[in-house]
Amino acid sequence: MRSITFHSGAIWEFVKALHLNMAVLTVPPQYGYVLITLILSILTIHIFMPITVGKARKKYGVGYPNLYAEPSNKNANAFNCVQRGHQNSLEGYAMFLSLLLPSGLKYPVAASIFGLIWIAGRILYFQGYSSGDPKARLRGNWGHIGELGLLVLVGMTAYSLLTSPSTIAEKIGIHAN
């Protein structure tokens, strides 16, 4: 059996041999706010909400692997409302991340503010839905203002990149090597 030994820098030499252009991304110091917002979203969507769903499973007698309670369960509506509140938040989470992270490269403080609005709206949406009254989820709908704000920021960033690529790329910290 032959083994391949990589000497120091062998991978870099291989990449250079392929003539690949590398870009270095430098983020503004305020991007830390975006990362804090990211952490808060993870705590909300992947810690707080699942713990609440887990407690509801125990309380209403809904075992795994069932995602929702069977209609024959007398507490089906109560549990399904808790589960649906979390599920709906998960369904929109990828979009939230795809708006937050790139918009924060150019507008870190504004992106964080809109991200926090989205998170607060999700918490109220989830708590309202978890009450057992599906209409109570609507009290968190104002969180969509955060989504809309992030969408506008991403659009502004994209427009800037397309209309002045070298200048704006440097402004948001992307430098070609």
Side-chain angles (χ1 to χ4, degrees):
M1 174 184 277
R2 293 178 57 184
S3 65
I4 298 173
T5 306
F6 287 103
H7 60 83
S8 178
I11 294 174
W12 178 246
E13 293 301 320
F14 175 73
V15 169
K16 285 190 340 188
L18 294 174
H19 303 287
L20 297 175
N21 290 328
M22 301 294 283
V24 176
L25 177 65
T26 327
V27 296
Q30 298 85 2
Y31 199 75
Y33 295 124
V34 175
L35 298 179
I36 289 169
T37 304
L38 172 67
I39 291 167
L40 292 174
S41 75
I42 291 168
L43 293 172
T44 300
I45 304 296
H46 295 292
I47 307 280
F48 164 69
M49 289 182 184
I51 287 173
T52 306
V53 171
K55 288 178 181 178
R57 279 189 179 282
K58 203 176 278 188
K59 180 178 178 180
Y60 300 124
V62 179
Y64 291 103
N66 297 330
L67 187 58
Y68 293 100
E70 298 292 329
S72 59
N73 182 325
K74 66 180 181 173
N75 298 307
N77 185 65
F79 174 77
N80 290 344
C81 282
V82 176
Q83 174 63 17
R84 187 68 203 127
H86 181 226
Q87 190 68 32
N88 182 269
S89 297
L90 285 170
E91 290 164 3
Y93 193 55
M95 182 191 60
F96 168 72
L97 294 176
S98 67
L99 295 173
L100 174 71
L101 298 175
S103 67
L105 291 172
K106 187 164 191 303
Y107 306 101
V109 175
S112 295
I113 291 168
F114 284 126
L116 292 172
I117 290 170
W118 182 85
I119 293 167
R122 283 285 98 192
I123 291 169
L124 290 178
Y125 179 94
F126 179 71
Q127 288 176 333
Y129 219 153
S130 295
S131 71
D133 176 13
K135 289 182 181 176
R137 75 190 190 284
L138 300 177
R139 69 181 186 194
N141 271 355
W142 56 267
H144 291 298
I145 293 168
E147 281 176 343
L148 182 60
L150 288 169
L151 183 63
V152 168
L153 292 179
V154 168
M156 289 168 50
T157 301
Y159 178 78
S160 295
L161 285 167
L162 293 171
T163 58
S164 171
S166 61
T167 307
I168 197 63
E170 290 171 6
K171 284 182 181 176
I172 66 170
I174 298 175
H175 306 283
N177 283 345

